[in-house]
Amino acid sequence: MSHAMVVLLFLGAAVEAAAQGGAPQPDAGSQGSDPCRFICELAWKVEPTITVENLANRHRVATGDGMVERAQRDRVFEIVLALDLETKVPWLGFTAEAITAPFEDGNEVELEFESNFHWLTESMTRGWLTSHFDVVDKFSPAERPDTTRAYTHKLDFELDTAFHPFKRLPEGRWLRGFELELSLDYLATGLPKQGDVFPDGSRMLDDASPWSLSLVFVIPVAPF
């Protein structure tokens, strides 16, 4: 929970800084010419996403009538609204996301608060590729049968690698910020465990698969 609170605090600081953007700036002689203190740039993005769940280590489930079934590799279409926060530290950023799966039953909104650790930057690849490792606080509908709350906190780890196909376009062109991204996820907590029994009588014979792979179409909306 503390990691999510830290990201929320950074979001609040960023909004306050944006609100003060029109205020007079101190004289350059008394302060560095770079106005950025920590949060330097904000950007809204919309990210249509296709996710393959149960990518590896597909678990088995014993149904109420005694049959044993193995989980399928489900494909889920999601829409993500993301707010990216670049920081003064080149290898560190933050992201807040709201996620919905419009064609799934229930269609509950999930929230994610990410710390992004950049290990492959545009300067290393002439702008064509970037990659970062993310530590994610995820708040989504409860999945274990013994949980009484509707939503639970889950810890997720991601490896995101993006291709920038339009980097040759001039600065300022909207399409220049479009990305194709692959995201490999490992959901470490909050999933059903071996032995869990659900109200319909089904029982988990293995821990639920924590692996998923997503293809993300990153569409820039606006800088903040």
Side-chain angles (χ1 to χ4, degrees):
M1 223 20 208
S2 60
H3 175 248
M5 291 302 298
V6 168
V7 177
L8 284 172
L9 288 172
F10 283 137
L11 280 171
V15 171
E16 181 181 357
Q20 295 176 353
Q25 298 297 318
D27 181 74
S30 62
Q31 190 173 7
S33 58
D34 185 1
C36 171
R37 295 183 178 178
F38 186 68
I39 301 295
C40 303
E41 185 174 337
L42 289 80
W44 287 105
K45 299 177 181 179
V46 173
E47 303 176 354
T49 302
I50 301 171
T51 298
V52 179
E53 298 179 339
N54 303 320
L55 181 68
N57 300 331
R58 291 182 296 149
H59 53 276
R60 297 168 301 151
V61 178
T63 64
D65 55 9
M67 300 292 292
V68 175
E69 300 177 349
R70 187 171 293 275
Q72 301 297 311
R73 289 191 176 93
D74 298 324
R75 293 174 178 83
V76 179
F77 176 74
E78 300 170 310
I79 296 291
V80 180
L81 177 62
L83 176 63
D84 282 355
L85 298 89
E86 294 186 7
T87 74
K88 197 176 183 68
V89 183
W91 49 266
L92 178 64
F94 300 98
T95 303
E97 295 182 348
I99 306 166
T100 183
F103 304 121
E104 298 297 309
D105 294 336
N107 190 23
E108 295 93 346
V109 174
E110 301 179 1
L111 300 177
E112 292 188 357
F113 303 94
E114 306 178 358
S115 294
N116 315 125
F117 301 93
H118 299 271
W119 67 272
L120 184 65
T121 63
E122 292 188 21
S123 62
M124 300 176 184
T125 64
R126 298 184 179 180
W128 292 107
L129 286 175
T130 55
S131 186
H132 49 85
F133 172 75
D134 304 338
V135 179
V136 183
D137 281 294
K138 183 184 184 77
F139 297 88
S140 62
E143 298 191 40
R144 300 201 63 184
D146 58 352
T147 302
T148 58
R149 293 175 296 175
Y151 274 66
T152 58
H153 169 266
K154 303 170 182 68
L155 179 63
D156 188 26
F157 299 102
E158 297 180 358
L159 179 63
D160 297 344
T161 302
F163 172 56
H164 307 257
F166 301 111
K167 291 301 291 185
R168 289 187 181 274
L169 291 177
E171 290 280 357
R173 294 288 295 273
W174 167 80
L175 197 56
R176 194 174 190 272
F178 177 83
E179 303 172 15
L180 285 174
E181 181 180 277
L182 277 179
S183 176
L184 180 64
D185 287 61
Y186 181 87
L187 190 56
T189 65
L191 290 175
K193 297 290 187 181
Q194 180 182 17
D196 281 355
V197 179
F198 293 88
D200 64 358
S202 60
R203 179 168 54 89
M204 297 290 293
L205 300 179
D206 308 294
D207 292 350
S209 171
W211 294 100
S212 64
L213 182 69
S214 299
L215 174 63
V216 186
F217 301 87
V218 182
I219 303 171
V221 176
F224 198 89

